[in-house]
Amino acid sequence: MSRYIAEQQRHLDTVTTTVYETGPASAATIRALLVGALLSIWRMVQFPLERRPDVMHVHSSFQHSFYRNAFYVLFGRYVWNCPVVLHVHGSSFDTFLQPDSRVVSWFQSVVLNATTRVVVLSSYWQSVLAAVVPEDRIVVVPNAVPTGEYDPEYPEMPHVVFLSNLIERKGITEFVAAVEAASDDPDVAPFQVTIAGSGPLADRVERLAAEHDHVTYLGYVDEAKKRALLSSGTIYALPTRAEGLPIAILEAMAAGMAIVSTPVGSIPEVVGEDNGLLVQPGDADALTEALVELLADPDRVDRMGRTNRAVAVADYSWEAAADRLTELYATVDDATPARATPVTAS
């Protein structure tokens, strides 16, 4: 989300923006959680001293992110009396809106209905939010990527890339099993595999790379190395178990790669038979079959990759997203786009 906010600010060149950090995104220890909570409270205390904006644009995920940012939604709406745009991120926002507690459900409704507009990532999330927010207040603005910073190579040698956090939810366990199965299949032509990312399941990836010469594990990579890696690949695999609209998939599309993923969240709205394959989450055998199917047909993979590149440039570039957001600001405030000033909370 922080990367999205940074890109949003960079591309909104007709809008004056101020970014207000509401607190740390996550905490790995109890101590970090307590420090983060105190920092979040301190940021709330300071916020009323900020200049009232023309438009508040609040970015929020689910759980603690939502409850922390609820303050900014309610303050903007009922104290500053300015338009509030709530931008919903998060892979599990659908289940988050189905709490066991009536009090929690009531509070969620109060916050969501205090907004002027709710921005969602796709039609799927529009249908989810429509259960608690009037549909005419919901606006679809897909995630975006800097498509101009990717330079697809479309190599002849099949090159499978996994680039994500090495956690169970991202499907790294299934991916490792699928690579092992495909590597042991004598009918599969030679292929390369590169895995990048860090996380608690890194040891499984390290063992895979140690046992197979065609598998490379890079660990964490910075933005420049990430873009170069994706641009050199042919198949991007993300067998994830829960997502919103993964920026990683859009980045792989911008890099000209075919996609192998799962039908969760908004992914089926982006990945279809023309540009990739979808398998059920947690199904390592189906993932193996999908990878083997594409590895056997490099021409099909090439067509998929070129289709993805064209779609990414047309529909998921930051230029397209900036136009949608600028238009949104103009519709919720009497100010012209040049005067609208969103305060972005993360």
Side-chain angles (χ1 to χ4, degrees), residues 51 63 84 89 97 102 124 175-176 179 210 232 271 324 338:
R51 179 183 175 185
Q63 293 180 343
V84 177
H89 303 263
L97 291 177
R102 290 185 179 181
Y124 168 76
F175 181 73
V176 167
V179 169
S232 70
V271 181
R324 294 185 182 107

Side-chain angles (χ1 to χ4, degrees), residues 162 171-183 195 201 204-208 212 239 284 287-288:
F162 181 102
I172 185 60
T173 299
E174 299 89 87
F175 181 73
V176 167
V179 169
E180 289 178 329
S183 300
I195 302 171
L201 300 182
R204 303 186 188 186
V205 177
E206 291 170 350
R207 286 197 300 270
L208 179 71
H212 298 279
L287 179 60
T288 302

Side-chain angles (χ1 to χ4, degrees), residues 10-345:
R10 184 160 72 96
H11 286 87
L12 288 175
D13 51 9
T14 63
V15 178
T16 302
T17 61
T18 301
V19 176
Y20 191 85
E21 297 289 345
T22 63
S26 61
T29 64
I30 296 296
R31 181 178 182 276
L33 180 64
L34 292 174
V35 171
L38 291 174
L39 178 59
S40 296
I41 293 171
W42 177 239
R43 298 298 285 163
M44 291 178 191
V45 171
Q46 290 180 309
F47 188 68
L49 303 178
E50 294 289 315
R51 179 183 175 185
R52 179 191 181 278
D54 295 317
V55 179
M56 278 186 64
H57 188 152
V58 182
H59 288 269
S60 180
S61 184
F62 55 99
Q63 293 180 343
H64 72 279
S65 174
F66 179 86
Y67 297 121
R68 179 181 64 212
N69 290 317
F71 165 81
Y72 298 92
V73 173
L74 298 174
F75 188 93
R77 171 66 178 84
Y78 295 113
V79 179
W80 275 344
N81 193 29
C82 69
V84 177
V85 175
L86 177 65
H87 202 133
V88 174
H89 303 263
S91 59
S92 300
F93 209 90
D94 43 5
T95 56
F96 173 69
L97 291 177
Q98 299 174 349
D100 295 330
S101 168
R102 290 185 179 181
V103 174
V104 171
S105 181
W106 169 81
F107 183 72
Q108 291 175 349
S109 179
V110 167
V111 174
L112 290 168
N113 284 286
T115 62
T116 311
R117 294 287 188 277
V118 175
V119 175
V120 295
L121 305 180
S122 70
S123 297
Y124 168 76
W125 293 105
Q126 183 179 29
S127 66
V128 168
L129 269 295
V132 288
V133 179
E135 196 161 2
D136 59 358
R137 278 202 238 154
I138 304 173
V139 179
V140 177
V141 180
N143 275 336
V145 294
T147 54
E149 297 179 14
Y150 291 86
D151 186 18
E153 298 176 11
Y154 304 111
E156 292 184 10
M157 166 71 79
H159 182 187
V160 182
V161 175
F162 181 102
L163 192 157
S164 188
N165 294 328
L166 303 183
I167 57 177
E168 203 71 47
R169 181 171 68 83
K170 295 294 184 179
I172 185 60
T173 299
E174 299 89 87
F175 181 73
V176 167
V179 169
E180 289 178 329
S183 300
D184 293 339
D185 188 336
D187 296 326
V188 175
F191 64 100
Q192 293 178 275
V193 177
T194 302
I195 302 171
S198 58
L201 300 182
D203 57 330
R204 303 186 188 186
V205 177
E206 291 170 350
R207 286 197 300 270
L208 179 71
E211 294 169 0
H212 298 279
D213 292 338
H214 64 290
V215 178
T216 301
Y217 174 48
L218 300 178
Y220 171 80
V221 295
D222 60 23
E223 285 294 308
K225 290 181 180 178
K226 177 192 71 177
R227 290 168 184 159
L229 171 60
L230 293 176
S231 296
S232 70
T234 61
I235 301 169
Y236 178 73
L238 185 68
T240 179
R241 300 182 182 186
E243 290 292 340
L245 176 57
I247 287 181
I249 284 182
L250 302 183
E251 291 172 332
M253 291 171 63
M257 303 178 72
I259 307 297
V260 176
S261 192
T262 55
V264 300
S266 303
I267 293 175
E269 297 179 38
V270 178
V271 181
E273 60 183 13
D274 292 335
N275 64 338
L277 297 176
L278 297 179
V279 301
Q280 289 303 311
D283 193 335
D285 291 337
L287 179 60
T288 302
E289 292 175 7
L291 290 176
V292 170
E293 180 179 337
L294 292 184
L295 290 171
D297 196 346
D299 291 339
R300 181 185 178 194
V301 170
D302 185 80
R303 290 193 301 271
M304 287 179 169
R306 293 180 188 276
T307 296
N308 277 333
R309 172 64 182 176
V311 170
V313 170
D315 298 334
Y316 300 106
S317 68
W318 261 109
E319 289 73 18
D323 288 343
R324 294 185 182 107
L325 291 172
T326 302
E327 182 180 356
L328 170 61
Y329 298 151
T331 64
V332 299
D333 188 67
D334 292 333
T336 63
R339 287 178 50 219
T341 308
V343 175
T344 308

